[in-house]
Amino acid sequence: MRIGIIGSGPVGQALAKAFLSEGYDVMLGTRNVIKPELVKFNAENKAVAIGNFAEAAQFGEMIVLATGGLVARDAIKLAGHANFSGKIVIDTTNPIAKEPPVNGVLKYFTSLDESLMERIQKELPDAKLVKAFNSVGNALMYRPGFKGGPPSMFICGDDEEAKKKVTAILRSFGWEAEDMGKVEAARAIEPLCMLWCIPGFLSNHWTTHAFKLLKK
Ligand SMILES: NC(=O)c1ccc[n+]([C@@H]2O[C@H](COP(=O)([O-])OP(=O)(O)OC[C@H]3O[C@@H](n4cnc5c(N)ncnc54)[C@H](OP(=O)(O)O)[C@@H]3O)[C@@H](O)[C@H]2O)c1
């Protein structure tokens, strides 16, 4: 399957390498194909195609959205709404506000009664959004390798088949998916990023922890 990734930052790059390792064809999308960090990435990962947002969205049979939350709408516009139609879109974004964290706690531009994912789903009504990968650092997204076994990735979305496909991808990446239901569940999943980042901001721990849902 072809994966188009909208966003060339740390998440886009980590997931591009992960999907490539799992045998997918990948195009990484950016507004600037000649930015030095991307040229370096491409030299080290020649099998990942690089294109603009519209090319990556067109290329992808499945799409990963991995831009800053504040600019997600702009990125979707550049990618072209029609290029998302009918496709599974893995939404990795978080609604992080411009203001700095307070004692390690990120500020969000959404309230607890509305998520960024819901805004994006409204923007792309024909796309099958699945929230995933938003509550862990990019270094742990693929084969996180915890001694305690696979950590939990909380996911949600309105399309059941899309969530099944993303669940299978997560399993192959070394994660257990925990399906929290429909798109509104993103109101609870997006703030997990705030919690996950606190040890990072306070103690510089960015690669040492992930969530695990214990069940009887
Ligand atoms: N960093 C992590 O470990 C991590 C973990 C979990 C979730 N997340 C979430 O994943 C998303 C991506 O995070 P990231 O750290 O990889 O990178 P990021 O810096 O948040 O986003 C980078 C991408 O945003 C694009 N962008 C920036 N300004 C834009 C604009 N005005 N219009 C359109 N696109 C614009 C950039 O375009 P160019 O390619 O042109 O530069 C780049 O592709 C975020 O929502 C973040 O909260 C991050």
Side-chain angles (χ1 to χ4, degrees):
M1 195 198 285
R2 294 192 310 270
I3 309 289
I5 302 182
I6 311 302
S8 66
V11 173
Q13 292 186 18
L15 292 180
K17 285 198 270 187
F19 276 107
L20 196 68
S21 301
E22 293 298 313
Y24 296 83
D25 292 330
V26 183
M27 184 183 286
L28 195 57
T30 176
R31 294 165 305 160
N32 179 7
V33 292
I34 57 165
K35 69 177 184 179
E37 61 269 38
L38 201 52
V39 171
K40 183 173 177 284
F41 171 86
N42 203 15
E44 291 162 2
N45 301 278
K46 292 196 173 63
V48 175
I50 308 286
N52 63 32
F53 285 161
E55 287 165 339
Q58 249 161 37
F59 174 88
E61 293 165 286
M62 186 184 285
I63 293 177
V64 176
L65 184 62
T67 67
L70 277 166
V71 296
R73 215 169 156 207
D74 301 328
I76 288 167
K77 207 168 166 194
L78 288 171
H81 288 70
N83 290 324
F84 293 86
S85 190
K87 296 180 185 174
I88 296 174
V89 177
I90 299 179
D91 171 21
T92 73
T93 63
N94 285 307
I96 298 173
K98 273 200 192 100
E99 294 79 22
V102 177
N103 287 330
V105 181
L106 283 165
K107 291 238 179 210
Y108 272 18
F109 59 79
T110 49
S111 76
L112 283 176
D113 295 322
E114 190 211 14
S115 60
L116 176 58
M117 182 188 182
E118 288 168 90
R119 290 191 192 179
I120 297 170
Q121 183 67 79
K122 279 195 195 110
E123 185 83 19
L124 298 170
D126 303 332
K128 301 166 187 171
L129 257 72
V130 180
K131 193 96 212 167
F133 295 109
N134 73 298
S135 59
V136 70
N138 63 86
L140 294 169
M141 287 179 175
Y142 185 61
R143 306 262 167 105
F146 286 99
K147 283 199 187 104
S152 307
M153 186 70 78
F154 296 93
I155 69 167
C156 68
D158 287 343
D159 190 284
E160 299 303 319
E161 281 308 306
K163 285 190 287 189
K164 279 189 195 142
K165 290 204 172 125
V166 174
T167 294
I169 289 169
L170 282 164
R171 195 173 301 127
S172 70
F173 281 22
W175 288 84
E176 255 168 26
E178 295 291 349
D179 182 355
M180 294 291 118
K182 304 291 185 194
V183 66
E184 292 79 9
R187 299 174 195 180
I189 297 175
E190 288 172 0
L192 291 177
C193 161
M194 297 168 71
L195 186 61
W196 189 88
C197 286
I198 291 173
F201 289 120
L202 296 186
S203 314
N204 205 25
H205 293 162
W206 294 106
T207 57
T208 49
H209 57 289
F211 297 118
K212 176 90 179 165
L213 190 65
L214 298 179
K215 286 179 283 188
K216 283 199 188 188

